[in-house]
Amino acid sequence: GAGVSQSPSNKVTEKGKDVELRCDPISGHTALYWYRQRLGQGLEFLIYFQGNSAPDKSGLPSDRFSAERTGESVSTLTIQRTQQEDSAVYLCASSLSDQETQYFGPGTRLLVL
Amino acid sequence: SQQGEEDPQALSIQEGENATMNCSYKTSINNLQWYRQNSGRGLVHLILIRSNEREKHSGRLRVTLDTSKKSSSLLITASRAADTASYFCAPAGNTPLVFGKGTRLSVIA
């Protein structure tokens, strides 16, 4: 079936605006992850959803960041009042369970001017 | 969550040479996974080794796991320019699988 998809592919926004990034996981995958990757850096864990359990939000850098997931389907990562340091590639991944192989989407490249 | 720490941070070798990357972690695991990333896009799963395995092969890849030392290594034999990428390990235990900073491998033709 289809892999993980993310939209938009690229987003340019002005400082102070809110943005929403979308992730469509592989059907049947109960676990969903969001990561941030700044240019030339490693992955930075943001948030993790597993089934109906409360999400692990331990990686969110500030209260401007939030994410939701509807059941075991689509997830939306929202960044409010964007700052220039939010510029990065935002990657989403899903897996059958939290111990198994993660499948990554192509990412959303966010540029905050 | 637990993340692995890859070593070295960067590695540059000639085509045809072998490349070895190491990973250390802190707590007990069920399995450990290695991933590759090209050009800042999504990571691609390479190989998974379970905690009761000591070595695993996949093509030119060889992964070892030493649970007593809480470490793993990834060996790429006969490297090619196309192997140039960042490599990440991810130890999977009782907490979500997360990723560290990776090893940036450059294979020079």
PDB file of all heavy atoms in Angstrom, chain A residues 4-8 20-26 30-35 47-49 55 66-78 91-94 108:
ATOM      1  N   VAL A   4       4.009   6.555   3.988  1.00  0.00           N
ATOM      2  CA  VAL A   4       3.661   7.721   4.786  1.00  0.00           C
ATOM      3  C   VAL A   4       3.714   8.952   3.879  1.00  0.00           C
ATOM      4  O   VAL A   4       4.683   9.135   3.134  1.00  0.00           O
ATOM      5  CB  VAL A   4       4.630   7.890   5.964  1.00  0.00           C
ATOM      6  CG1 VAL A   4       4.298   9.145   6.755  1.00  0.00           C
ATOM      7  CG2 VAL A   4       4.600   6.654   6.850  1.00  0.00           C
ATOM      8  N   SER A   5       2.685   9.752   3.936  1.00  0.00           N
ATOM      9  CA  SER A   5       2.694  10.980   3.155  1.00  0.00           C
ATOM     10  C   SER A   5       2.604  12.189   4.068  1.00  0.00           C
ATOM     11  O   SER A   5       2.025  12.109   5.171  1.00  0.00           O
ATOM     12  CB  SER A   5       1.550  10.995   2.135  1.00  0.00           C
ATOM     13  OG  SER A   5       0.307  10.923   2.787  1.00  0.00           O
ATOM     14  N   GLN A   6       3.197  13.277   3.614  1.00  0.00           N
ATOM     15  CA  GLN A   6       3.177  14.510   4.383  1.00  0.00           C
ATOM     16  C   GLN A   6       2.831  15.668   3.457  1.00  0.00           C
ATOM     17  O   GLN A   6       3.200  15.669   2.282  1.00  0.00           O
ATOM     18  CB  GLN A   6       4.548  14.781   5.021  1.00  0.00           C
ATOM     19  CG  GLN A   6       4.903  13.796   6.118  1.00  0.00           C
ATOM     20  CD  GLN A   6       6.205  14.175   6.805  1.00  0.00           C
ATOM     21  OE1 GLN A   6       7.201  13.462   6.729  1.00  0.00           O
ATOM     22  NE2 GLN A   6       6.202  15.313   7.495  1.00  0.00           N
ATOM     23  N   SER A   7       2.150  16.642   4.031  1.00  0.00           N
ATOM     24  CA  SER A   7       1.837  17.838   3.243  1.00  0.00           C
ATOM     25  C   SER A   7       1.841  19.058   4.157  1.00  0.00           C
ATOM     26  O   SER A   7       1.535  18.955   5.350  1.00  0.00           O
ATOM     27  CB  SER A   7       0.469  17.693   2.563  1.00  0.00           C
ATOM     28  OG  SER A   7      -0.553  17.521   3.530  1.00  0.00           O
ATOM     29  N   PRO A   8       2.221  20.239   3.611  1.00  0.00           N
ATOM     30  CA  PRO A   8       2.766  20.390   2.266  1.00  0.00           C
ATOM     31  C   PRO A   8       4.208  19.896   2.203  1.00  0.00           C
ATOM     32  O   PRO A   8       4.811  19.617   3.229  1.00  0.00           O
ATOM     33  CB  PRO A   8       2.692  21.905   2.067  1.00  0.00           C
ATOM     34  CG  PRO A   8       2.879  22.466   3.443  1.00  0.00           C
ATOM     35  CD  PRO A   8       2.194  21.502   4.366  1.00  0.00           C
ATOM     36  N   GLU A  20       0.269  24.669   9.948  1.00  0.00           N
ATOM     37  CA  GLU A  20      -0.186  23.300  10.217  1.00  0.00           C
ATOM     38  C   GLU A  20       0.474  22.360   9.239  1.00  0.00           C
ATOM     39  O   GLU A  20       0.419  22.569   8.026  1.00  0.00           O
ATOM     40  CB  GLU A  20      -1.714  23.212  10.056  1.00  0.00           C
ATOM     41  CG  GLU A  20      -2.476  23.636  11.274  1.00  0.00           C
ATOM     42  CD  GLU A  20      -3.961  23.293  11.170  1.00  0.00           C
ATOM     43  OE1 GLU A  20      -4.363  22.700  10.145  1.00  0.00           O
ATOM     44  OE2 GLU A  20      -4.699  23.611  12.099  1.00  0.00           O
ATOM     45  N   LEU A  21       1.056  21.321   9.772  1.00  0.00           N
ATOM     46  CA  LEU A  21       1.703  20.310   8.949  1.00  0.00           C
ATOM     47  C   LEU A  21       0.939  19.000   9.137  1.00  0.00           C
ATOM     48  O   LEU A  21       0.563  18.644  10.253  1.00  0.00           O
ATOM     49  CB  LEU A  21       3.171  20.124   9.377  1.00  0.00           C
ATOM     50  CG  LEU A  21       3.992  21.398   9.547  1.00  0.00           C
ATOM     51  CD1 LEU A  21       5.416  21.061   9.977  1.00  0.00           C
ATOM     52  CD2 LEU A  21       4.001  22.218   8.285  1.00  0.00           C
ATOM     53  N   ARG A  22       0.769  18.289   8.025  1.00  0.00           N
ATOM     54  CA  ARG A  22      -0.086  17.098   8.065  1.00  0.00           C
ATOM     55  C   ARG A  22       0.718  15.844   7.771  1.00  0.00           C
ATOM     56  O   ARG A  22       1.645  15.867   6.957  1.00  0.00           O
ATOM     57  CB  ARG A  22      -1.196  17.249   7.033  1.00  0.00           C
ATOM     58  CG  ARG A  22      -2.128  16.053   6.911  1.00  0.00           C
ATOM     59  CD  ARG A  22      -3.104  16.235   5.759  1.00  0.00           C
ATOM     60  NE  ARG A  22      -3.810  15.008   5.457  1.00  0.00           N
ATOM     61  CZ  ARG A  22      -5.105  14.811   5.742  1.00  0.00           C
ATOM     62  NH1 ARG A  22      -5.813  15.784   6.297  1.00  0.00           N
ATOM     63  NH2 ARG A  22      -5.686  13.662   5.428  1.00  0.00           N
ATOM     64  N   CYS A  23       0.336  14.767   8.445  1.00  0.00           N
ATOM     65  CA  CYS A  23       0.967  13.463   8.211  1.00  0.00           C
ATOM     66  C   CYS A  23      -0.112  12.402   8.070  1.00  0.00           C
ATOM     67  O   CYS A  23      -0.983  12.277   8.944  1.00  0.00           O
ATOM     68  CB  CYS A  23       1.891  13.111   9.376  1.00  0.00           C
ATOM     69  SG  CYS A  23       2.561  11.416   9.294  1.00  0.00           S
ATOM     70  N   ASP A  24      -0.031  11.638   6.982  1.00  0.00           N
ATOM     71  CA  ASP A  24      -0.917  10.491   6.785  1.00  0.00           C
ATOM     72  C   ASP A  24      -0.087   9.224   6.942  1.00  0.00           C
ATOM     73  O   ASP A  24       0.727   8.912   6.070  1.00  0.00           O
ATOM     74  CB  ASP A  24      -1.543  10.517   5.384  1.00  0.00           C
ATOM     75  CG  ASP A  24      -2.671  11.499   5.271  1.00  0.00           C
ATOM     76  OD1 ASP A  24      -2.406  12.663   4.934  1.00  0.00           O
ATOM     77  OD2 ASP A  24      -3.801  11.091   5.552  1.00  0.00           O
ATOM     78  N   PRO A  25      -0.285   8.487   8.027  1.00  0.00           N
ATOM     79  CA  PRO A  25       0.547   7.304   8.250  1.00  0.00           C
ATOM     80  C   PRO A  25       0.101   6.131   7.386  1.00  0.00           C
ATOM     81  O   PRO A  25      -0.931   6.194   6.721  1.00  0.00           O
ATOM     82  CB  PRO A  25       0.296   7.004   9.728  1.00  0.00           C
ATOM     83  CG  PRO A  25      -1.115   7.453   9.955  1.00  0.00           C
ATOM     84  CD  PRO A  25      -1.271   8.681   9.086  1.00  0.00           C
ATOM     85  N   ILE A  26       0.869   5.078   7.433  1.00  0.00           N
ATOM     86  CA  ILE A  26       0.484   3.844   6.750  1.00  0.00           C
ATOM     87  C   ILE A  26      -0.716   3.247   7.493  1.00  0.00           C
ATOM     88  O   ILE A  26      -0.731   3.218   8.733  1.00  0.00           O
ATOM     89  CB  ILE A  26       1.659   2.854   6.724  1.00  0.00           C
ATOM     90  CG1 ILE A  26       2.773   3.415   5.831  1.00  0.00           C
ATOM     91  CG2 ILE A  26       1.216   1.481   6.228  1.00  0.00           C
ATOM     92  CD1 ILE A  26       4.061   2.624   5.860  1.00  0.00           C
ATOM     93  N   THR A  30      -0.141   1.786  14.410  1.00  0.00           N
ATOM     94  CA  THR A  30      -0.679   2.400  15.617  1.00  0.00           C
ATOM     95  C   THR A  30       0.231   3.485  16.171  1.00  0.00           C
ATOM     96  O   THR A  30      -0.216   4.340  16.926  1.00  0.00           O
ATOM     97  CB  THR A  30      -0.896   1.337  16.710  1.00  0.00           C
ATOM     98  OG1 THR A  30       0.369   0.755  17.055  1.00  0.00           O
ATOM     99  CG2 THR A  30      -1.850   0.246  16.231  1.00  0.00           C
ATOM    100  N   ALA A  31       1.502   3.429  15.836  1.00  0.00           N
ATOM    101  CA  ALA A  31       2.453   4.399  16.369  1.00  0.00           C
ATOM    102  C   ALA A  31       2.775   5.446  15.318  1.00  0.00           C
ATOM    103  O   ALA A  31       2.945   5.138  14.138  1.00  0.00           O
ATOM    104  CB  ALA A  31       3.736   3.700  16.813  1.00  0.00           C
ATOM    105  N   LEU A  32       2.849   6.702  15.756  1.00  0.00           N
ATOM    106  CA  LEU A  32       3.169   7.816  14.860  1.00  0.00           C
ATOM    107  C   LEU A  32       4.089   8.773  15.584  1.00  0.00           C
ATOM    108  O   LEU A  32       3.868   9.099  16.760  1.00  0.00           O
ATOM    109  CB  LEU A  32       1.885   8.535  14.427  1.00  0.00           C
ATOM    110  CG  LEU A  32       2.036   9.630  13.367  1.00  0.00           C
ATOM    111  CD1 LEU A  32       0.795   9.672  12.483  1.00  0.00           C
ATOM    112  CD2 LEU A  32       2.306  10.987  13.965  1.00  0.00           C
ATOM    113  N   TYR A  33       5.134   9.209  14.888  1.00  0.00           N
ATOM    114  CA  TYR A  33       6.163  10.071  15.467  1.00  0.00           C
ATOM    115  C   TYR A  33       6.329  11.338  14.634  1.00  0.00           C
ATOM    116  O   TYR A  33       6.230  11.285  13.411  1.00  0.00           O
ATOM    117  CB  TYR A  33       7.534   9.368  15.465  1.00  0.00           C
ATOM    118  CG  TYR A  33       7.595   8.047  16.174  1.00  0.00           C
ATOM    119  CD1 TYR A  33       7.079   6.897  15.593  1.00  0.00           C
ATOM    120  CD2 TYR A  33       8.218   7.936  17.417  1.00  0.00           C
ATOM    121  CE1 TYR A  33       7.166   5.670  16.234  1.00  0.00           C
ATOM    122  CE2 TYR A  33       8.310   6.709  18.059  1.00  0.00           C
ATOM    123  CZ  TYR A  33       7.779   5.591  17.455  1.00  0.00           C
ATOM    124  OH  TYR A  33       7.868   4.381  18.094  1.00  0.00           O
ATOM    125  N   TRP A  34       6.660  12.419  15.318  1.00  0.00           N
ATOM    126  CA  TRP A  34       7.093  13.643  14.644  1.00  0.00           C
ATOM    127  C   TRP A  34       8.518  13.961  15.094  1.00  0.00           C
ATOM    128  O   TRP A  34       8.849  13.866  16.284  1.00  0.00           O
ATOM    129  CB  TRP A  34       6.196  14.821  15.011  1.00  0.00           C
ATOM    130  CG  TRP A  34       4.878  14.864  14.311  1.00  0.00           C
ATOM    131  CD1 TRP A  34       3.668  14.446  14.790  1.00  0.00           C
ATOM    132  CD2 TRP A  34       4.614  15.393  13.007  1.00  0.00           C
ATOM    133  NE1 TRP A  34       2.686  14.666  13.866  1.00  0.00           N
ATOM    134  CE2 TRP A  34       3.235  15.257  12.767  1.00  0.00           C
ATOM    135  CE3 TRP A  34       5.409  15.978  12.017  1.00  0.00           C
ATOM    136  CZ2 TRP A  34       2.637  15.678  11.579  1.00  0.00           C
ATOM    137  CZ3 TRP A  34       4.819  16.396  10.845  1.00  0.00           C
ATOM    138  CH2 TRP A  34       3.435  16.241  10.627  1.00  0.00           C
ATOM    139  N   TYR A  35       9.325  14.368  14.109  1.00  0.00           N
ATOM    140  CA  TYR A  35      10.699  14.780  14.366  1.00  0.00           C
ATOM    141  C   TYR A  35      10.949  16.109  13.673  1.00  0.00           C
ATOM    142  O   TYR A  35      10.304  16.451  12.688  1.00  0.00           O
ATOM    143  CB  TYR A  35      11.700  13.758  13.795  1.00  0.00           C
ATOM    144  CG  TYR A  35      11.603  12.373  14.361  1.00  0.00           C
ATOM    145  CD1 TYR A  35      10.775  11.421  13.779  1.00  0.00           C
ATOM    146  CD2 TYR A  35      12.347  12.006  15.474  1.00  0.00           C
ATOM    147  CE1 TYR A  35      10.698  10.135  14.281  1.00  0.00           C
ATOM    148  CE2 TYR A  35      12.279  10.713  15.982  1.00  0.00           C
ATOM    149  CZ  TYR A  35      11.444   9.794  15.375  1.00  0.00           C
ATOM    150  OH  TYR A  35      11.367   8.521  15.882  1.00  0.00           O
ATOM    151  N   ILE A  47       7.255  14.444  19.299  1.00  0.00           N
ATOM    152  CA  ILE A  47       6.074  13.875  19.943  1.00  0.00           C
ATOM    153  C   ILE A  47       5.789  12.508  19.346  1.00  0.00           C
ATOM    154  O   ILE A  47       6.160  12.221  18.208  1.00  0.00           O
ATOM    155  CB  ILE A  47       4.857  14.818  19.785  1.00  0.00           C
ATOM    156  CG1 ILE A  47       3.661  14.336  20.628  1.00  0.00           C
ATOM    157  CG2 ILE A  47       4.468  14.948  18.319  1.00  0.00           C
ATOM    158  CD1 ILE A  47       2.539  15.380  20.720  1.00  0.00           C
ATOM    159  N   TYR A  48       5.122  11.680  20.138  1.00  0.00           N
ATOM    160  CA  TYR A  48       4.869  10.294  19.754  1.00  0.00           C
ATOM    161  C   TYR A  48       3.451   9.914  20.173  1.00  0.00           C
ATOM    162  O   TYR A  48       3.026  10.201  21.301  1.00  0.00           O
ATOM    163  CB  TYR A  48       5.913   9.435  20.439  1.00  0.00           C
ATOM    164  CG  TYR A  48       5.543   7.999  20.689  1.00  0.00           C
ATOM    165  CD1 TYR A  48       5.478   7.088  19.650  1.00  0.00           C
ATOM    166  CD2 TYR A  48       5.294   7.555  21.987  1.00  0.00           C
ATOM    167  CE1 TYR A  48       5.161   5.771  19.891  1.00  0.00           C
ATOM    168  CE2 TYR A  48       4.972   6.234  22.231  1.00  0.00           C
ATOM    169  CZ  TYR A  48       4.910   5.344  21.185  1.00  0.00           C
ATOM    170  OH  TYR A  48       4.595   4.033  21.421  1.00  0.00           O
ATOM    171  N   PHE A  49       2.722   9.266  19.271  1.00  0.00           N
ATOM    172  CA  PHE A  49       1.387   8.745  19.543  1.00  0.00           C
ATOM    173  C   PHE A  49       1.420   7.224  19.441  1.00  0.00           C
ATOM    174  O   PHE A  49       2.001   6.673  18.512  1.00  0.00           O
ATOM    175  CB  PHE A  49       0.373   9.274  18.513  1.00  0.00           C
ATOM    176  CG  PHE A  49       0.180  10.747  18.516  1.00  0.00           C
ATOM    177  CD1 PHE A  49       0.994  11.571  17.751  1.00  0.00           C
ATOM    178  CD2 PHE A  49      -0.819  11.331  19.285  1.00  0.00           C
ATOM    179  CE1 PHE A  49       0.814  12.941  17.739  1.00  0.00           C
ATOM    180  CE2 PHE A  49      -1.007  12.708  19.280  1.00  0.00           C
ATOM    181  CZ  PHE A  49      -0.197  13.514  18.506  1.00  0.00           C
ATOM    182  N   PRO A  55      -0.337  10.882  24.364  1.00  0.00           N
ATOM    183  CA  PRO A  55       0.900  11.067  23.585  1.00  0.00           C
ATOM    184  C   PRO A  55       2.081  11.438  24.477  1.00  0.00           C
ATOM    185  O   PRO A  55       1.912  12.060  25.524  1.00  0.00           O
ATOM    186  CB  PRO A  55       0.539  12.208  22.631  1.00  0.00           C
ATOM    187  CG  PRO A  55      -0.609  12.910  23.260  1.00  0.00           C
ATOM    188  CD  PRO A  55      -1.371  11.878  24.030  1.00  0.00           C
ATOM    189  N   SER A  66       2.188  22.000  19.109  1.00  0.00           N
ATOM    190  CA  SER A  66       1.191  21.038  19.559  1.00  0.00           C
ATOM    191  C   SER A  66       0.907  20.070  18.416  1.00  0.00           C
ATOM    192  O   SER A  66       1.190  20.359  17.249  1.00  0.00           O
ATOM    193  CB  SER A  66      -0.096  21.732  19.997  1.00  0.00           C
ATOM    194  OG  SER A  66      -0.680  22.408  18.900  1.00  0.00           O
ATOM    195  N   ALA A  67       0.362  18.926  18.752  1.00  0.00           N
ATOM    196  CA  ALA A  67       0.025  17.941  17.718  1.00  0.00           C
ATOM    197  C   ALA A  67      -1.201  17.178  18.154  1.00  0.00           C
ATOM    198  O   ALA A  67      -1.448  16.992  19.352  1.00  0.00           O
ATOM    199  CB  ALA A  67       1.188  16.994  17.469  1.00  0.00           C
ATOM    200  N   GLU A  68      -1.941  16.748  17.163  1.00  0.00           N
ATOM    201  CA  GLU A  68      -3.131  15.941  17.396  1.00  0.00           C
ATOM    202  C   GLU A  68      -3.107  14.757  16.452  1.00  0.00           C
ATOM    203  O   GLU A  68      -2.505  14.803  15.385  1.00  0.00           O
ATOM    204  CB  GLU A  68      -4.399  16.766  17.157  1.00  0.00           C
ATOM    205  CG  GLU A  68      -4.617  17.870  18.154  1.00  0.00           C
ATOM    206  CD  GLU A  68      -5.922  18.613  17.898  1.00  0.00           C
ATOM    207  OE1 GLU A  68      -6.546  18.384  16.842  1.00  0.00           O
ATOM    208  OE2 GLU A  68      -6.305  19.414  18.760  1.00  0.00           O
ATOM    209  N   ARG A  69      -3.790  13.722  16.889  1.00  0.00           N
ATOM    210  CA  ARG A  69      -3.970  12.577  16.008  1.00  0.00           C
ATOM    211  C   ARG A  69      -5.384  12.069  16.190  1.00  0.00           C
ATOM    212  O   ARG A  69      -5.829  11.866  17.323  1.00  0.00           O
ATOM    213  CB  ARG A  69      -2.973  11.466  16.309  1.00  0.00           C
ATOM    214  CG  ARG A  69      -3.061  10.334  15.292  1.00  0.00           C
ATOM    215  CD  ARG A  69      -2.109   9.224  15.567  1.00  0.00           C
ATOM    216  NE  ARG A  69      -2.135   8.257  14.478  1.00  0.00           N
ATOM    217  CZ  ARG A  69      -1.572   7.054  14.541  1.00  0.00           C
ATOM    218  NH1 ARG A  69      -0.934   6.673  15.627  1.00  0.00           N
ATOM    219  NH2 ARG A  69      -1.642   6.241  13.503  1.00  0.00           N
ATOM    220  N   THR A  70      -6.058  11.834  15.094  1.00  0.00           N
ATOM    221  CA  THR A  70      -7.424  11.331  15.125  1.00  0.00           C
ATOM    222  C   THR A  70      -7.386   9.813  15.055  1.00  0.00           C
ATOM    223  O   THR A  70      -7.081   9.248  14.007  1.00  0.00           O
ATOM    224  CB  THR A  70      -8.231  11.877  13.927  1.00  0.00           C
ATOM    225  OG1 THR A  70      -8.107  13.287  13.888  1.00  0.00           O
ATOM    226  CG2 THR A  70      -9.695  11.482  14.057  1.00  0.00           C
ATOM    227  N   GLY A  71      -7.664   9.160  16.176  1.00  0.00           N
ATOM    228  CA  GLY A  71      -7.626   7.701  16.206  1.00  0.00           C
ATOM    229  C   GLY A  71      -6.276   7.196  15.799  1.00  0.00           C
ATOM    230  O   GLY A  71      -5.249   7.575  16.347  1.00  0.00           O
ATOM    231  N   GLU A  72      -6.252   6.303  14.814  1.00  0.00           N
ATOM    232  CA  GLU A  72      -4.988   5.789  14.299  1.00  0.00           C
ATOM    233  C   GLU A  72      -4.789   6.270  12.875  1.00  0.00           C
ATOM    234  O   GLU A  72      -4.248   5.558  12.028  1.00  0.00           O
ATOM    235  CB  GLU A  72      -4.973   4.262  14.383  1.00  0.00           C
ATOM    236  CG  GLU A  72      -4.946   3.762  15.810  1.00  0.00           C
ATOM    237  CD  GLU A  72      -4.815   2.261  15.905  1.00  0.00           C
ATOM    238  OE1 GLU A  72      -4.847   1.581  14.860  1.00  0.00           O
ATOM    239  OE2 GLU A  72      -4.678   1.759  17.041  1.00  0.00           O
ATOM    240  N   SER A  73      -5.204   7.499  12.609  1.00  0.00           N
ATOM    241  CA  SER A  73      -5.046   8.003  11.251  1.00  0.00           C
ATOM    242  C   SER A  73      -4.235   9.286  11.262  1.00  0.00           C
ATOM    243  O   SER A  73      -3.204   9.385  11.911  1.00  0.00           O
ATOM    244  CB  SER A  73      -6.424   8.202  10.614  1.00  0.00           C
ATOM    245  OG  SER A  73      -7.172   9.135  11.355  1.00  0.00           O
ATOM    246  N   VAL A  74      -4.743  10.268  10.554  1.00  0.00           N
ATOM    247  CA  VAL A  74      -4.010  11.501  10.284  1.00  0.00           C
ATOM    248  C   VAL A  74      -3.562  12.210  11.558  1.00  0.00           C
ATOM    249  O   VAL A  74      -4.262  12.209  12.576  1.00  0.00           O
ATOM    250  CB  VAL A  74      -4.916  12.444   9.466  1.00  0.00           C
ATOM    251  CG1 VAL A  74      -4.299  13.812   9.312  1.00  0.00           C
ATOM    252  CG2 VAL A  74      -5.218  11.831   8.108  1.00  0.00           C
ATOM    253  N   SER A  75      -2.386  12.825  11.457  1.00  0.00           N
ATOM    254  CA  SER A  75      -1.893  13.667  12.543  1.00  0.00           C
ATOM    255  C   SER A  75      -1.564  15.046  11.981  1.00  0.00           C
ATOM    256  O   SER A  75      -1.137  15.182  10.835  1.00  0.00           O
ATOM    257  CB  SER A  75      -0.652  13.054  13.175  1.00  0.00           C
ATOM    258  OG  SER A  75      -0.115  13.916  14.159  1.00  0.00           O
ATOM    259  N   THR A  76      -1.774  16.042  12.825  1.00  0.00           N
ATOM    260  CA  THR A  76      -1.449  17.421  12.459  1.00  0.00           C
ATOM    261  C   THR A  76      -0.518  18.003  13.510  1.00  0.00           C
ATOM    262  O   THR A  76      -0.803  17.927  14.708  1.00  0.00           O
ATOM    263  CB  THR A  76      -2.717  18.285  12.380  1.00  0.00           C
ATOM    264  OG1 THR A  76      -3.616  17.721  11.446  1.00  0.00           O
ATOM    265  CG2 THR A  76      -2.375  19.700  11.956  1.00  0.00           C
ATOM    266  N   LEU A  77       0.580  18.571  13.049  1.00  0.00           N
ATOM    267  CA  LEU A  77       1.511  19.290  13.926  1.00  0.00           C
ATOM    268  C   LEU A  77       1.287  20.776  13.690  1.00  0.00           C
ATOM    269  O   LEU A  77       1.345  21.237  12.541  1.00  0.00           O
ATOM    270  CB  LEU A  77       2.952  18.910  13.604  1.00  0.00           C
ATOM    271  CG  LEU A  77       4.044  19.654  14.376  1.00  0.00           C
ATOM    272  CD1 LEU A  77       4.040  19.238  15.850  1.00  0.00           C
ATOM    273  CD2 LEU A  77       5.423  19.382  13.779  1.00  0.00           C
ATOM    274  N   THR A  78       0.995  21.497  14.754  1.00  0.00           N
ATOM    275  CA  THR A  78       0.723  22.927  14.644  1.00  0.00           C
ATOM    276  C   THR A  78       1.819  23.708  15.347  1.00  0.00           C
ATOM    277  O   THR A  78       2.186  23.377  16.480  1.00  0.00           O
ATOM    278  CB  THR A  78      -0.635  23.280  15.267  1.00  0.00           C
ATOM    279  OG1 THR A  78      -1.666  22.538  14.587  1.00  0.00           O
ATOM    280  CG2 THR A  78      -0.925  24.768  15.128  1.00  0.00           C
ATOM    281  N   LEU A  91       9.734  15.818   9.961  1.00  0.00           N
ATOM    282  CA  LEU A  91       9.550  14.458   9.479  1.00  0.00           C
ATOM    283  C   LEU A  91       8.538  13.720  10.329  1.00  0.00           C
ATOM    284  O   LEU A  91       8.537  13.841  11.553  1.00  0.00           O
ATOM    285  CB  LEU A  91      10.886  13.703   9.509  1.00  0.00           C
ATOM    286  CG  LEU A  91      11.947  14.185   8.515  1.00  0.00           C
ATOM    287  CD1 LEU A  91      13.321  13.676   8.915  1.00  0.00           C
ATOM    288  CD2 LEU A  91      11.609  13.726   7.115  1.00  0.00           C
ATOM    289  N   CYS A  92       7.711  12.945   9.671  1.00  0.00           N
ATOM    290  CA  CYS A  92       6.735  12.100  10.333  1.00  0.00           C
ATOM    291  C   CYS A  92       7.081  10.646  10.016  1.00  0.00           C
ATOM    292  O   CYS A  92       7.555  10.333   8.913  1.00  0.00           O
ATOM    293  CB  CYS A  92       5.342  12.444   9.832  1.00  0.00           C
ATOM    294  SG  CYS A  92       4.040  11.341  10.412  1.00  0.00           S
ATOM    295  N   ALA A  93       6.861   9.770  10.966  1.00  0.00           N
ATOM    296  CA  ALA A  93       7.084   8.340  10.756  1.00  0.00           C
ATOM    297  C   ALA A  93       5.971   7.561  11.430  1.00  0.00           C
ATOM    298  O   ALA A  93       5.393   8.019  12.422  1.00  0.00           O
ATOM    299  CB  ALA A  93       8.439   7.905  11.309  1.00  0.00           C
ATOM    300  N   SER A  94       5.669   6.380  10.897  1.00  0.00           N
ATOM    301  CA  SER A  94       4.698   5.510  11.553  1.00  0.00           C
ATOM    302  C   SER A  94       5.246   4.096  11.626  1.00  0.00           C
ATOM    303  O   SER A  94       6.159   3.727  10.875  1.00  0.00           O
ATOM    304  CB  SER A  94       3.344   5.525  10.828  1.00  0.00           C
ATOM    305  OG  SER A  94       3.409   4.847   9.590  1.00  0.00           O
ATOM    306  N   THR A 108       8.290  17.791   5.528  1.00  0.00           N
ATOM    307  CA  THR A 108       7.854  19.135   5.143  1.00  0.00           C
ATOM    308  C   THR A 108       8.986  20.085   5.463  1.00  0.00           C
ATOM    309  O   THR A 108       9.427  20.146   6.617  1.00  0.00           O
ATOM    310  CB  THR A 108       6.589  19.580   5.903  1.00  0.00           C
ATOM    311  OG1 THR A 108       5.477  18.779   5.507  1.00  0.00           O
ATOM    312  CG2 THR A 108       6.288  21.051   5.617  1.00  0.00           C
TER     313      THR A 108
END
